[in-house]
Amino acid sequence: MTITLEHYILLGTLLFLIGVAGFLIRRNIFLMFMSIELMMNGVNICFVSFARYYHDMAGQVFVIFVMTVAAAEAAVGLAIILILYRNRETLNADEFHLMKH
């Protein structure tokens, strides 16, 4: 059995859907953050698989940019989560009313 483009797309789609489900179901901010990272990795798998299938490096270059943005987002996001935890001593998203008004 050979691994085809459909297998990679299925893997990327499953990772993305698991990330969406984790983001919508979980109320812990840290787990929501990890779900967003999982969604980005699912999209990256799809980009790389299409780039390899069509013999075009543009998809792989785009993945490098997505990974760069994800690294910056991880640094800023974890800093914000740490500050929120220090102020409220909880990571439950329902407890934060800071940005509602």
Side-chain angles (χ1 to χ4, degrees):
M1 180 176 159
T2 61
I3 299 176
T4 62
L5 176 66
E6 289 82 18
H7 292 100
Y8 288 114
I9 300 304
L10 180 65
L11 176 66
T13 304
L14 287 175
L15 281 176
F16 187 82
L17 290 177
I18 290 170
V20 168
F23 185 81
L24 294 176
I25 292 171
R26 298 292 187 155
R27 300 307 331 154
N28 186 331
I29 290 180
F30 185 71
L31 292 176
M32 292 168 72
F33 182 72
M34 287 176 50
S35 296
I36 292 171
E37 294 291 328
L38 194 61
M39 287 188 281
M40 280 196 267
N41 285 330
V43 171
N44 284 342
I45 288 174
C46 290
F47 278 140
V48 169
S49 61
F50 277 121
R52 179 162 170 81
Y53 182 75
Y54 289 113
H55 304 290
D56 187 15
M57 294 299 289
Q60 293 177 357
V61 170
F62 194 70
V63 167
I64 299 283
F65 287 120
V66 171
M67 290 174 68
T68 304
V69 169
E73 180 246 342
V76 172
L78 288 175
I80 291 171
I81 290 171
L82 184 63
I83 289 171
L84 286 174
Y85 180 74
R86 284 183 181 175
N87 287 337
R88 299 290 180 164
E89 295 183 1
T90 183
L91 290 178
N92 189 358
D94 295 330
E95 299 294 323
F96 297 109
H97 303 290
L98 298 173
M99 294 185 261
K100 280 190 176 181
H101 300 285

